[in-house]
Amino acid sequence: MSDVLVEVAGVTKEYRRDDQAITVLEQLSLTIPRGDFLALMGPSGSGKTTLLNLLAGIDQPTAGRITVDNKVITGLGEGALAKWRSRTTGFIFQLYNLIPVLTAYENVELPLLLTSLSRAERRQHVMHALDIVGLADRAKHFPRQLSGGQEQRVSIARAIVVDPLLLLADEPTGDLDAKSAEEILTLLQRLNREFRKTIVMVTHDPKAAARASRTLHLEKGKLVEAAA
Amino acid sequence: MLRLIWKNAWRSKRRTVLTIASVAVSLFLLSTMLCYLSSGEKQLENSAGSLRVIARHATSLTFFLPEAHVAKMATVPHVTSVQACVWWGGQIEGMENQIFMSTIASDLDPLETMWDDYSFGPGAMDALRGELRGAVIAERLLAKLKAMKGWDIGQTIRLHSPIFKHDIELKLVGTCKGPDESILLFRRDYLEKVQDNPGRVGYCWLRVDKAENIPGVCRDVDALFANSDAETKTETEKAFMATFMSMMGNIKDLVVNIGLAIVVTILLVAANTMAMVARERTTEHAVMRCLGFSQGAIAFIFVAESVLISLLGAAVGVGLAAALYTPGRYDLGGFAPFFHMTPATTGIGLGIALGVGIVAGAVPAVAAARRSIVDGLRRVD
Ligand SMILES: Nc1ncnc2c1ncn2[C@@H]1O[C@H](COP(=O)(O)OP(=O)(O)O)[C@@H](O)[C@H]1O
Ligand SMILES: [Mg+2]
């Protein structure tokens, strides 16, 4: 087992609008070791979300190659990618994106419906994940009955319930007050240290970035390393 | 997964209830029409396998045949009996539009062998032979008249006929039971007497010995009277029923077309709802795919929701029809004796709902599944 989890090799991403091609990422290369907690910073529109989407396997690069856990995901078909996503990545959104008609429990259970686990086994996993984020007592609550910070914790539980190799978070504290943001960052840090999760977190907030083990700056589609 | 589908369906309660209600109303109407159609079909079917053929005036049912024809018909090979009848068209004063009666004056002797698919009440035939004014009435018709007018066996009743413009007095002497549940049968010799012996016959039923001889008998009878004053047209009971029913107003095509229009309407309503739903769920579909749900899974969940909604509509609409249209409850005054829900009509209603659900859900489902995840996530609403 190699120490490198993610290998981004010469990745370019262009968007075509009418006749004009906009290059969002240009010849970008990056290695993420297992157990890393990487913060991605950069001005708005610099391509942070785009890079994260490529790592999550929900978007394809125009050129270059992305390897995760020794598997080249670039060029995989949509069906194979969906399967890969369900086992390998956990995604945390800025706006939580919980399903409003499902309880916290059911939201967390959602990715497990794609596995062959029995109901009882699923229950075990869901309660464990909710326990880690400290919301086991809110299992029966609906998203609208939770605060923003709590919703984000449920969404983190949903992201970790399948025990993925790679956690991807796009401005997870961007919509939260300072105290909730602190809690979320502490939680992510704990997931990294205690559960050895590899995390890539996009953020605008230097304080958030400071919680990561290292920070990369993205500027005009190119990476600039900065001291952690 | 089922939970998600169920809960999704009830996100916008008002919209879902309205959609279910419109599907329900449409399918109720559709069931009504299917009942009407299947009632007609059943009537035809009942007459399909019979060994009876009917001979009438070649020009029209409204022309009479001379009585002398009857004996001649009996001489045609393979004809085992002949029954001369007159469609008298009796009506009850003041209830012309509520009660439909097949009021027929008939010869008595061939009756029981000719109509072996009917059973006559105990002593009914003897009573009819013994009473010139006697009449035998279908059980169902009697039950109805009992409820509406208090009539029962033994009662003398007075009817008028819009065809013959005269009244007649009949005494109910017995009952019968068979496919036509609006039968009121009385003696043709009595009608002859009332009308001063005109020697007129409306039409004749002929019983043929074997089914394979039916076409030959039809040909031979018509040939027998060719170039006479009253040429005949002889056809099978089924063919005759079809002509008769089309005389009563051929609205079958109309009913079928309205039915199709209803199906298209439900489809539009359901498709519109599902298109709205798909638009609202764009972000959610992207999120679910991000979690690893495949395009197929997203489309399936969506179509399942659509099917669920239209089947709920069908359960209400078809269910109501099934509860309401029980055998014998609404028979259009006896004209449509088989007007009720059958497993087939129920099945068609549910089948249409299933089809509508799939079609209405499929187009937005495929569009939703095809949409790029990144676009779905970027959409802010
Ligand atoms: N689907 C798209 N079509 C065209 N341009 C896009 C599309 N998605 C993103 N972009 C452009 O790519 C650039 C980078 O976007 P993004 O990765 O979201 O930046 P960040 O997350 O760093 O703010 C922006 O200029 C954006 O307008
Ligand atoms: Mg972004």
Side-chain angles (χ1 to χ4, degrees):
Chain A
M1 199 162 82
S2 99
D3 286 345
V4 176
L5 180 66
V6 181
E7 172 95 60
V8 178
V11 161
T12 297
K13 178 70 185 176
E14 285 176 1
Y15 283 112
R16 219 161 267 288
R17 207 174 266 156
D18 302 328
D19 288 339
Q20 229 181 336
I22 310 161
T23 306
V24 181
L25 300 175
E26 198 179 352
Q27 284 291 324
L28 188 140
S29 293
L30 164 71
T31 319
I32 304 172
R34 278 176 211 277
D36 199 4
F37 184 179
L38 173 66
L40 264 182
M41 292 190 76
S44 203
S46 58
K48 306 182 295 294
T49 297
T50 304
L51 177 56
L52 211 62
N53 288 344
L54 291 173
L55 296 179
I58 58 176
D59 203 358
Q60 291 282 354
T62 314
R65 201 173 63 171
I66 296 173
T67 313
V68 179
D69 195 29
N70 297 319
K71 184 180 172 83
V72 179
I73 60 164
T74 308
L76 280 184
E78 181 42 44
L81 266 181
K83 209 169 195 171
W84 176 84
R85 281 197 295 271
S86 71
R87 290 194 289 239
T88 322
T89 64
F91 212 100
I92 300 157
F93 307 89
Q94 178 175 355
L95 295 173
Y96 335 126
N97 283 334
L98 299 176
I99 311 284
V101 285
L102 298 182
T103 61
Y105 181 94
E106 291 162 345
N107 264 289
V108 176
E109 191 187 23
L110 213 45
L112 294 179
L113 296 179
L114 299 168
T115 66
S116 55
L117 294 181
S118 72
R119 205 185 175 80
E121 289 168 321
R122 291 204 302 267
R123 176 159 198 90
Q124 233 175 359
H125 283 83
V126 172
M127 289 318 289
H128 184 53
L130 281 172
D131 204 35
I132 292 173
V133 302
L135 284 178
D137 56 335
R138 299 297 164 97
K140 291 205 171 88
H141 286 55
F142 286 93
R144 64 171 186 286
Q145 300 168 320
L146 299 170
S147 71
Q150 289 171 329
E151 278 196 74
Q152 191 60 297
R153 275 145 70 192
V154 173
S155 116
I156 292 175
R158 177 177 68 182
I160 61 174
V161 74
V162 292
D163 197 19
L165 291 169
L166 183 60
L167 276 183
L168 302 162
D170 196 352
E171 304 193 32
T173 58
D175 219 48
L176 295 175
D177 60 86
K179 183 168 167 289
S180 301
E182 274 298 306
E183 286 169 9
I184 295 298
L185 291 166
T186 307
L187 179 57
L188 288 175
Q189 218 166 14
R190 191 173 147 230
L191 289 173
N192 175 243
R193 295 202 177 134
E194 208 173 300
F195 297 91
R196 308 302 305 157
K197 291 282 162 237
T198 308
I199 302 176
V200 180
M201 173 178 74
V202 167
T203 183
H204 272 309
D205 179 5
K207 273 205 295 202
R211 299 289 205 101
S213 13
R214 64 180 175 129
T215 303
L216 288 176
H217 284 270
L218 202 55
E219 251 157 65
K220 291 185 189 147
K222 299 199 175 195
L223 279 176
V224 197
E225 190 141 4
Chain B
M1 203 80 101
L2 285 174
R3 254 176 116 77
L4 177 66
I5 293 163
W6 177 259
K7 285 179 155 188
N8 270 340
W10 293 102
R11 275 190 185 195
S12 171
K13 286 205 182 60
R14 177 204 298 255
R15 181 172 61 202
T16 303
V17 166
L18 283 176
T19 308
I20 289 178
S22 39
V23 172
V25 169
S26 309
L27 280 176
F28 178 75
L29 280 177
L30 192 72
S31 298
T32 308
M33 296 184 160
L34 285 172
C35 279
Y36 177 81
L37 288 180
S38 79
S39 169
E41 301 269 306
K42 184 82 184 297
Q43 258 173 301
L44 279 185
E45 219 172 82
N46 270 353
S47 47
S50 92
L51 288 171
R52 289 183 288 262
V53 300
I54 185 166
R56 52 149 169 119
H57 197 284
T59 311
S60 156
L61 247 179
T62 56
F63 284 61
F64 293 98
L65 298 171
E67 205 163 27
H69 273 31
V70 180
K72 288 182 193 156
M73 284 179 195
T75 64
V76 172
H78 304 296
V79 171
T80 57
S81 62
V82 181
Q83 174 202 11
C85 299
V86 174
W87 177 274
W88 193 68
Q91 291 182 336
I92 301 165
E93 186 80 51
M95 301 179 76
E96 287 79 0
N97 294 322
Q98 294 160 48
I99 298 274
F100 174 83
M101 299 186 291
S102 310
T103 319
I104 296 163
S106 162
D107 291 349
L108 287 193
D109 293 334
L111 204 57
E112 278 170 296
T113 43
M114 184 70 71
W115 300 95
D116 52 350
D117 44 350
Y118 283 74
S119 61
F120 293 85
M125 284 308 294
D126 287 342
L128 202 53
R129 280 186 198 101
E131 169 63 62
L132 184 64
R133 298 177 308 149
V136 168
I137 184 168
E139 281 178 10
R140 282 280 312 290
L141 178 61
L142 180 63
K144 213 181 302 179
L145 292 175
K146 207 181 226 168
M148 295 173 84
K149 308 250 341 162
W151 291 356
D152 208 342
I153 299 301
Q155 176 95 34
T156 300
I157 63 176
R158 195 174 181 81
L159 304 176
H160 66 91
S161 159
I163 303 173
F164 294 97
K165 316 285 185 207
H166 68 80
D167 285 9
I168 203 164
E169 226 165 59
L170 298 172
K171 185 176 180 195
L172 301 178
V173 295
T175 61
C176 67
K177 192 168 162 51
D180 185 348
E181 299 189 288
S182 57
I183 277 275
L184 180 66
L185 203 71
F186 66 101
R187 287 168 58 160
R188 198 173 66 83
D189 52 351
Y190 176 46
L191 183 64
E192 279 286 304
K193 195 179 152 208
V194 170
Q195 296 181 339
D196 275 336
N197 302 305
R200 291 188 306 199
V201 170
Y203 53 92
C204 292
W205 285 108
L206 287 73
R207 196 170 172 96
V208 181
D209 56 358
K210 284 196 209 105
E212 67 254 38
N213 293 325
I214 287 176
V217 165
C218 291
R219 249 192 337 267
D220 292 350
V221 171
D222 291 347
L224 186 61
F225 301 110
N227 302 316
S228 78
D229 284 349
E231 297 194 349
T232 57
K233 177 170 181 189
T234 307
E235 56 194 351
T236 62
E237 186 174 0
K238 177 172 177 166
F240 173 71
M241 282 295 283
T243 329
F244 181 71
M245 287 204 295
S246 74
M247 251 179 64
M248 286 297 193
N250 188 0
I251 55 173
K252 185 178 165 175
D253 284 352
L254 182 67
V255 170
V256 168
N257 285 332
I258 295 175
L260 286 177
I262 291 177
V263 172
V264 172
T265 309
I266 323 176
L267 187 62
L268 290 179
V269 169
N272 180 50
T273 303
M274 292 322 287
M276 270 159 63
V277 170
R279 229 171 296 129
E280 285 163 22
R281 305 257 173 90
T282 306
T283 307
E284 234 163 77
H285 286 150
V287 169
M288 285 180 71
R289 284 181 61 200
C290 216
L291 297 178
F293 283 81
S294 66
Q295 289 172 301
I298 297 290
F300 174 81
I301 291 172
F302 193 80
V303 170
E305 180 178 339
S306 170
V307 168
L308 174 71
I309 290 175
S310 56
L311 281 184
L312 283 175
V316 175
V318 179
L320 192 67
L324 217 53
Y325 302 149
T326 51
R329 186 127 159 228
Y330 300 95
D331 55 3
L332 309 186
F335 175 58
F338 302 104
F339 188 89
H340 56 80
M341 291 294 278
T342 62
T345 45
T346 308
I348 292 174
L350 294 179
I352 285 175
L354 181 68
V356 163
I358 291 174
V359 174
V363 175
V366 168
R370 282 227 181 122
R371 194 182 185 110
S372 100
I373 306 177
V374 176
D375 281 351
L377 287 177
R378 268 184 205 281
R379 238 178 64 143
V380 183
D381 15 12

